[in-house]
Structures are given as structure tokens and as C-alpha cells.
Amino acid sequence: MDLGIKGKKALVCAASKGLGRACAMSLAREGVNVTILARGQDALEQTAAELRRFGVEVTAVAADVTTPAGRAAAHAACPDPDILVNNAGGPPPGDFRNWSREDWIRALDANMLTPIELIKATVDTMIARRFGRIVNITSGAVKHPIPHLGLSNGARAGLTGFVAGLARQTVAHNVTINNLLPGFFETDRNLTTMTAMAKSRGISMEEMKAERVQSIPAHRQGIPSEFGDLCAYVCSAQAGFITGQNLLIDGGAYPGTL
Ligand code: NAP
């Protein structure tokens, strides 16, 4: 299926590794020119080189998307994207009793206010061109909160509420805004979280992994390319009637009917 986005421009944040990288890969495979952002230069350049194999234009920006300077650098490199994929590292786990106001502000900055700022900077030109696809990478925790990830549960809920309102205002102009909610995917972030959990429970990584996989009805973790391909579809020309949605991709882990 031709997704009808060849030649479009995408800004993909936090995209040198993991889910952001997978989104950039799937978009590039569809012929989308991509600007990717991450802090570390080495992984960024490596991903950029892999993306160029698809024959598209690739710009790599080494910057922290959660800072005004980082967002300005992204905007300068890709001022009028047709597609915006919002992503950043997730906040650390912990007990809310130990979190200060500064910890909360950091989480809100990264996982709520940064995507809102980037939407603000790009949505009006998308509206003027009558095409725009905005995808926010959030978390399955939006639907079933993870107790030790309270900073993430809270910040992402704020973004989700904001998007629910805005997405209904932009869709008449063929600009959609949707959230993708990953369950457990095989990425660096996931490995770090599992290592910390295994340590805190005094079990081995093998035991931790086996337990995790058993808890997922698919009996496996997600592969980043599965996530990237969903992102590419949500960004497709055909997906103009999908907006304001929270699309879970979690191998059946969320136990609810709806
Ligand atoms: P990952 O494998 O650790 O990759 C994170 C990517 O984001 C890297 O390229 C990293 O590069 C970049 N990045 C992180 N902070 C950044 C910043 N401030 N500015 C620019 N780039 C930044 O993580 P992931 O598993 O793909 O997770 C992506 C998001 O999905 C996170 O918010 C995570 O909480 C959420 N999530 C993931 C899972 C899962 O199972 N993987 C499940 C639920 C939710 P640099 O470090 O070099 O900047």
C-alpha cells in the first residue's frame, strides 16, 4: 500500500534509538525526508547514515528537545514539517514522596510541555497547507498507570488531555493529532527499566524477562519496527479521518474491553 507521503518532510524527535528511530525508519522507507533529533552525536550519525540508504534527505540535529535552544535548533533545521513525531526520554521511576517540585517540572517539560511547544510552532503552517500529521509517542501507562512511574503517568495524562481538545480543532484542515501508546518494546529504555526492577526485586534479568513476557498475551515484547510502521500509517494520506486517538500497541497487555 502506497501511503501517499513520498516527498513530505518529517521532524522526528528523540530518534537516534528505539521507538523514535523506528518511526524515522518507517517514514524514510515511504520516501519521507526526515530531520532527526537526539543529544548524543554518535548514535545520531549512525542512524542518519542508515536512513540515507532509503534515498531520502536526512538532517541530523544534535540537541536536547526539552530545552528552548534544542527546539529552536530543530525548528531551524526543519521549519515547516508536514509530519511531526514528538518523543523524548521518559522520566525516572521512583516513589512520589521523594519527588520535589523540580522533578515534576522536569517531567512536565519533557513529556507534556515540549510536545505542546513543538505543536504550537508547526501546526499553523500545516493548517495553511491543508496537510499535517502529528504523532506523540506517549505510553500504555496513559491507560493503565504503572505505579512506580508516577512522573510519567502524570505528565503524559496532561499531554493527552490537551491533545484531545486540539485534535478536534485541526482535523477539518486535514491536520490530525494522535498519540501512540507503546506497551513493552525491545529498546534501551526498556532494558534500563527492567534492569532496575530486577535489581530492586533481587531477581535475575532472565527471570525478569520471563515474567514480563508471560504477562503479555502475545508472549513476547514488541519489535520497534512494528511501532514505526504504525506511526507511518497514522502519518499516511489515508489516515486523515483518524484524530484525537490513543492507539495502544502492546500485544494485548491492556486488559480492558475498550
Ligand atoms: P530509548 O531506546 O532509550 O531511546 C530514546 C531516544 O531518545 C534516544 O535516541 C535518545 O538519544 C533520545 N532522547 C532522549 N532524551 C532526549 C532529549 N531530551 N532530547 C533529544 N533526544 C532525546 O527509548 P524508547 O524505549 O524508544 O522510549 C521512547 C519513549 O517511549 C520514552 O518516552 C519512553 O518512556 C516511552 N515508552 C517506551 C516503552 C518501551 O517499552 N520501550 C514503553 C512505554 C513508553 P540521546 O540519549 O542521545 O538523546
Side-chain angles (χ1 to χ4, degrees), residues 8-9 19 39 49 99 109 138 141 175 193 255:
K8 300 274 187 208
K9 288 179 288 177
L19 304 180
R39 293 162 303 180
W99 293 330
D109 257 342
T138 66
V175 176
T193 317

Side-chain angles (χ1 to χ4, degrees), residues 232-248:
Y233 177 72
V234 172
C235 294
S236 71
Q238 291 89 340
F241 208 51
I242 303 173
T243 200
Q245 298 306 300
N246 291 287
L247 304 170
L248 265 176

Side-chain angles (χ1 to χ4, degrees), residues 14 16-19 39-40 64-65 87-90 156 183 185 187 189:
S16 65
K17 296 180 190 168
L19 304 180
R39 293 162 303 180
D64 182 341
V65 71
N87 186 29
R156 295 189 200 279
F185 276 79
T187 65
R189 155 94 178 167

Side-chain angles (χ1 to χ4, degrees), residues 44-242:
L44 190 67
E45 289 305 335
Q46 196 181 322
T47 295
E50 287 169 41
L51 287 165
R52 287 189 185 103
R53 289 192 202 129
F54 291 104
V56 296
E57 285 171 31
V58 179
T59 307
V61 181
D64 182 341
V65 71
T66 67
T67 65
R71 289 191 292 276
H75 190 64
C78 186
D80 299 316
D82 305 292
I83 293 167
L84 168 66
V85 179
N86 276 315
N87 186 29
D95 183 327
F96 86 96
R97 292 168 189 81
N98 301 324
W99 293 330
S100 64
R101 176 178 163 76
E102 284 64 42
D103 294 322
W104 275 106
I105 297 297
R106 252 193 306 278
L108 291 170
D109 257 342
N111 298 111
M112 179 183 170
L113 301 177
T114 288
I116 292 173
E117 285 291 333
L118 285 171
I119 292 170
K120 185 174 151 189
T122 54
V123 76
D124 288 329
T125 51
M126 291 179 182
I127 288 172
R129 288 198 307 270
R130 294 197 65 78
F131 182 92
R133 299 287 183 261
I134 299 175
V135 167
N136 303 305
I137 300 181
T138 66
S139 172
V142 169
K143 286 196 69 133
H144 55 112
I146 302 170
H148 60 277
L149 288 177
L151 289 168
S152 170
N153 300 336
R156 295 189 200 279
L159 175 66
T160 305
F162 169 75
V163 163
L166 183 63
R168 271 91 187 170
Q169 297 169 52
T170 60
V171 67
H173 308 281
N174 192 24
V175 176
T176 67
I177 314 180
N178 292 287
N179 306 315
L180 300 188
L181 282 53
F184 295 121
F185 276 79
E186 288 176 4
T187 65
D188 284 5
R189 155 94 178 167
N190 190 1
L191 202 63
T192 311
T193 317
M194 280 213 295
T195 307
M197 283 170 73
K199 196 173 165 203
S200 76
R201 292 179 49 200
I203 60 174
S204 71
M205 207 37 193
E206 285 64 39
E207 288 169 309
M208 186 68 230
K209 266 190 197 157
E211 194 180 288
R212 160 85 43 98
V213 160
Q214 269 314 307
S215 74
I216 303 169
H219 287 172
R220 65 176 177 87
Q221 299 199 89
I223 302 161
S225 63
E226 294 175 306
F227 190 91
D229 288 352
L230 174 61
C231 176
Y233 177 72
V234 172
C235 294
S236 71
Q238 291 89 340
F241 208 51
I242 303 173

